[in-house]
Amino acid sequence: MTLKLGVVMDPIGSIQVRKDSTYAMLLEVQSRGWPIHYMEMNDLTVRDGEPFARFKPLTLFEDDNRWFEYGAGSSIALSKLDIILMRKDPPFNLEYIYCSYILERAEQRGVLVVNRPRALRDANEKMYIAWFPQCTPPTLVSREFSDLRAFLHEHSDIILKPLEGMGGASVFRVTERDPNISVIMETLTRHRSRYVMAQRYIPEIREGDKRILMVDGEPLPYVLARVPAPGESRGNLAAGASSEGRELTERERWIAGEVGPSLKEKGILFAGLDIIGDYLTEINITSPTCIRELDAHFSVNISAHLMDVIESRFNGGKSAE
């Protein structure tokens, strides 16, 4: 079956093709003969309740110097597409939410949107772990300095991070003796006008921030351990971490089993669980990464498995969600 697929993503000319999970997905889509309708957020519109987009047909090449080519641009009612991949990276801000409303209108017209727009709004990547406290380290969400200071006093060594970011941006490790604690709290909370997350520091970060990829609520049998660079406390590839492929442990399978049914219920077909030591720290659903790295470590094709699931879901009925 030939399916008409649209993708909403960051500018494709700026991606790192050897690391980009969206690009891996699109290579698989192209191999199946599905036409790719490339879109960015600026291309999406709603007119009298009907969602539309300007798009460019996309052809891909496995070439680090020339990895894509556009066809002639045109406009399309989103209802004419079968599937839309929402792969725009955070920040998860009001513009992201507005975009999800447009995509929800497309979903209501029978398009399979991955991940589901309502789920993108409901399951914030940082906050969503609050639904699984049995899996997480001690965690506080607040914008009040006294709460954050009390949490720091209780645990002595903590991580502070914004709720809308990605890639380790603006993530701070703070101890009680840190002379910059006040300015860090002021900066992250924007003077107590934004919520932030505090988590007890987990020393096992030295062994890697582990990413488990979940497809339709089920974990792949591998994790990618992102080991911080020397002198770093962040296990993010964007922050210079190195990667190691590993098999899932029993504890990691248990965490995946705790989270998976909720992901499936919400229609989240592709997600990434972040685990440090024995603890769940984030649930990534906007644009989870690490496909390329896991494919390379284990000689698999995760995108093929994902597209099989997406095709099966589409064939099972557009209203099945």
Side-chain angles (χ1 to χ4, degrees):
M1 170 182 270
T2 299
L3 300 177
K4 298 185 294 294
L5 182 136
V7 60
V8 181
M9 60 183 291
D10 290 298
I12 193 170
S14 66
I15 67 173
Q16 299 182 53
V17 290
R18 294 297 172 184
K19 294 180 175 291
D20 196 89
S21 291
T22 304
Y23 194 76
M25 294 179 192
L26 296 180
L27 284 173
E28 175 62 27
V29 168
Q30 181 171 269
S31 75
R32 295 174 182 230
W34 302 354
I36 302 171
H37 301 71
Y38 169 85
M39 300 169 279
E40 298 174 18
M41 280 178 59
N42 287 352
D43 296 317
L44 302 179
T45 62
V46 174
R47 176 66 185 265
D48 300 325
E50 185 70 27
F52 292 89
R54 292 177 295 275
F55 77 94
K56 299 182 183 76
L58 192 64
T59 302
L60 307 178
F61 310 96
E62 291 253 39
D63 185 330
D64 291 349
N65 298 311
R66 177 177 174 261
W67 59 89
F68 71 97
E69 181 177 274
Y70 295 134
S74 186
S75 296
I76 192 171
L78 292 184
S79 59
K80 300 297 184 182
L81 299 175
D82 298 312
I83 297 162
I84 297 175
L85 301 179
M86 175 47 167
R87 292 288 301 175
K88 172 71 177 67
D89 284 342
F92 187 86
N93 52 20
L94 276 174
E95 293 304 307
Y96 207 109
I97 290 172
Y98 297 148
C99 182
S100 77
Y101 292 141
I102 297 174
L103 295 177
E104 188 166 13
R105 292 299 290 159
E107 181 185 57
Q108 290 168 347
R109 282 155 172 71
V111 182
L112 176 60
V113 182
V114 181
N115 282 314
R116 195 172 188 185
R118 183 180 297 274
L120 292 175
R121 298 193 298 270
D122 288 350
N124 174 270
E125 305 198 331
K126 307 293 193 298
M127 283 294 298
Y128 190 33
I129 67 169
W131 274 250
F132 310 97
Q134 71 275 23
C135 302
T136 68
T139 300
L140 168 72
V141 174
S142 178
R143 59 187 195 177
E144 178 52 56
F145 293 173
S146 61
D147 295 338
L148 298 170
R149 286 187 179 277
F151 189 83
L152 174 59
H153 181 69
E154 179 183 355
H155 296 289
S156 301
D157 194 351
I158 66 173
I159 296 294
L160 289 173
K161 53 189 173 181
L163 296 181
E164 74 279 5
M166 63 167 286
S170 300
V171 174
F172 292 86
R173 179 184 176 186
V174 181
T175 64
E176 286 192 277
R177 294 186 178 184
D178 194 320
N180 297 307
I181 179 60
S182 293
V183 71
I184 290 171
M185 290 192 300
E186 290 168 3
T187 300
L188 288 180
T189 67
R190 299 188 185 179
H191 297 275
R192 293 165 36 196
S193 67
R194 294 286 182 92
Y195 285 103
V196 298
M197 175 171 282
Q199 290 180 324
R200 187 185 70 194
Y201 175 71
I202 307 170
E204 288 84 357
I205 184 62
R206 293 188 294 267
E207 301 167 13
D209 184 346
K210 297 169 286 187
R211 167 64 56 85
I212 300 175
L213 293 181
M214 306 282 289
V215 176
D216 199 18
E218 295 294 331
L220 299 179
Y222 324 105
V223 298
L224 189 76
R226 297 160 294 177
V227 181
E232 264 285 358
S233 60
R234 299 173 297 173
N236 300 89
L237 297 178
S242 59
S243 66
E244 298 177 5
R246 301 174 186 169
E247 303 286 336
L248 259 66
T249 66
E250 286 304 311
R251 171 70 179 183
E252 290 155 2
R253 289 184 183 278
W254 177 79
I255 291 174
E258 293 291 293
V259 178
S262 180
L263 295 175
K264 193 175 183 72
E265 180 183 3
K266 288 180 177 295
I268 300 170
L269 293 185
F270 189 56
L273 309 185
D274 287 351
I275 296 175
I276 301 175
D278 287 334
Y279 299 102
L280 175 70
T281 60
E282 292 185 16
I283 302 172
N284 294 271
I285 71 163
T286 50
S287 56
T289 61
C290 298
I291 285 178
R292 294 288 240 180
E293 292 83 359
L294 283 169
D295 279 354
H297 281 295
F298 294 101
S299 299
V300 293
N301 186 343
I302 294 169
S303 297
H305 174 50
L306 175 61
M307 292 306 150
D308 284 347
V309 169
I310 289 173
E311 184 173 10
S312 175
R313 181 62 58 90
F314 177 83
N315 288 334
K318 297 180 184 179
S319 62
E321 296 275 12

